[in-house]
Amino acid sequence: MSQFFQIHPDNPQLRLIKQAVQIIDQGGIVALPTDSCYALVCHLDDKDAVMRLRRIRGVDEKHHLTLLCRDLSEIAQYAKVDNRQFRMLKAATPGPYTFILEATKEVPRRLSHPSRKTIGLRVPENPITHALLEELKQPLLGTTLILPDEDEPLTDPELVRARLEKQIDLVIDGGACSLIPTTVIDMTQETPELIRQGRGDAALFGL
């Protein structure tokens, strides 16, 4: 049975943030609000938690999971970023974008795409998510909260609780989120490629 924390969307209570991080450190799966949709997240280094997260979402190892990072310097630790890419990332972060980049050796091999060695990364603009990342002091591994065989993400924390309370460990109620997921940009080639149009304006990348 999952726990349910009501956390202030603008001024997150540190006590609850610390409890949420403890749940993540112990292998928990957490549903949390972001600047796009609700996401399911877990600890980057917990193999069992990552497998659970994939099972809940109904996706295999070819589906990109996303590293939710605190800032650009953390992105550069887990992905290879040249000066051109850095300038574009700086213009779009924090914000509702997910970037596909070549993974560094810091990323566990099981998390990167099995054939391309790429990883999805983002810097969300959400006070609750940012507070969790600051307290955890490393990225969270996450995926948009869309259940198998459904087209739209869950955006109401009460509905998330009703649907998933026996499968995940914590639901964070930070208010309703958008129905629109992040814009996904593949930056592994010379010219950025739009993979999915979402909340973020692709015009920032000339797309």
Side-chain angles (χ1 to χ4, degrees), residues 17-84:
I17 292 295
K18 287 179 178 291
Q19 288 181 35
V21 167
Q22 189 174 24
I23 289 169
I24 292 166
D25 279 336
Q26 292 171 349
I29 306 287
V30 176
L32 53 71
T34 73
D35 50 353
S36 54
C37 308
Y38 266 81
L40 289 176
V41 300
C42 69
H43 201 288
L44 168 65
D45 297 318
D46 192 317
K47 184 178 180 180
D48 290 339
V50 175
M51 289 173 62
R52 280 179 60 207
L53 187 132
R54 287 191 184 276
R55 279 200 303 272
I56 293 166
R57 274 284 274 111
V59 297
D60 61 19
E61 71 278 359
K62 293 179 182 177
H63 180 88
H64 271 115
L65 298 177
T66 300
L67 292 185
L68 281 66
C69 300
R70 284 178 284 181
D71 50 33
L72 271 183
S73 63
E74 201 161 65
I75 281 186
Q77 184 180 348
Y78 292 90
K80 297 177 181 178
V81 180
D82 62 26
N83 289 337
R84 176 185 58 86

Side-chain angles (χ1 to χ4, degrees), residues 99 112 150 199:
F99 307 104
S112 57
E150 297 189 11
R199 282 200 74 206

Side-chain angles (χ1 to χ4, degrees), residues 88-99:
M88 287 190 282
L89 291 174
K90 188 174 182 181
T93 56
Y97 297 89
T98 298
F99 307 104

Side-chain angles (χ1 to χ4, degrees), residues 52 55 65 67 91 105 110 112 118 133 137 168 207:
R52 280 179 60 207
R55 279 200 303 272
L65 298 177
L67 292 185
K105 292 179 180 178
R110 58 189 159 76
S112 57
T118 51
L133 292 170
K137 295 181 172 52
I168 66 177
L207 300 170

